[in-house]
Amino acid sequence: MRRTPGEISASLAGFPAFYAAYPRKVGKQAALQAWVKLAPDKALQTVILGALAAQRPHLDRSENGRFIPHAATWLNKGQWEDEIPGGKPKPVDSSGLQWWQAAGFGHVAEAQNARCHVGNFRQFQDGKRIESEATV
């Protein structure tokens, strides 16, 4: 399914908020490219910004942020899905299921091996990709 120009524009409009919130200000163009490649909709943008806000206190602040990943790396690796040290993962929907459980996987690693993530888990059912829901 192709995205409309309005959806693309809405996706790009979320980048300044993400970059402003990200603690390490290097590689802005690479981060923008990663954002465009990810093309997050409003829901995923909310998830990303929420995860960033929750993870920010736990990011390595030693040596002037030397060990904080670049924003592009954080996006490309899908690190918004990382668990917060000492935190309890929150369900993505009102049913109380994690995104990977809602997609029909028994463990998050199974979902990741099938290239399922929080941004596309609705395209999966019973641990298999639903071709009619898959985007190009």
Side-chain angles (χ1 to χ4, degrees):
M1 182 169 106
R2 294 202 179 257
R3 298 180 59 145
T4 66
E7 291 172 330
I8 294 169
S9 176
S11 175
L12 288 175
F15 178 75
F18 164 76
Y19 196 76
Y22 201 79
R24 190 167 183 194
K25 304 288 190 238
V26 293
K28 186 173 184 176
Q29 289 302 314
L32 178 59
Q33 288 176 348
W35 186 269
V36 168
K37 178 180 163 188
L38 184 62
D41 59 8
K42 284 284 192 193
L44 183 54
Q45 289 178 33
T46 303
V47 169
I48 289 172
L49 291 173
L52 180 57
Q55 291 177 12
R56 190 172 177 147
H58 303 283
L59 292 174
D60 188 349
R61 295 192 185 277
S62 64
E63 297 185 40
N64 294 325
R66 180 173 157 206
F67 297 110
I68 297 173
H70 289 203
T73 302
W74 194 84
L75 288 169
N76 285 328
K77 287 185 174 182
Q79 287 182 277
W80 64 87
E81 297 173 347
D82 291 356
E83 291 184 20
I84 299 166
K88 182 180 175 189
K90 294 185 174 65
V92 223
D93 61 10
S94 60
S95 69
L97 297 176
Q98 298 292 320
W99 61 267
W100 46 271
Q101 292 169 322
F105 293 97
H107 191 271
V108 67
E110 293 175 19
Q112 291 170 336
N113 286 340
R115 297 183 188 265
C116 176
H117 53 79
V118 74
N120 72 352
F121 77 94
R122 289 180 182 86
Q123 297 174 5
F124 289 79
Q125 183 177 358
D126 297 326
K128 294 186 172 72
R129 187 175 206 126
I130 305 167
E131 292 303 320
S132 62
E133 295 292 322
T135 58
V136 177

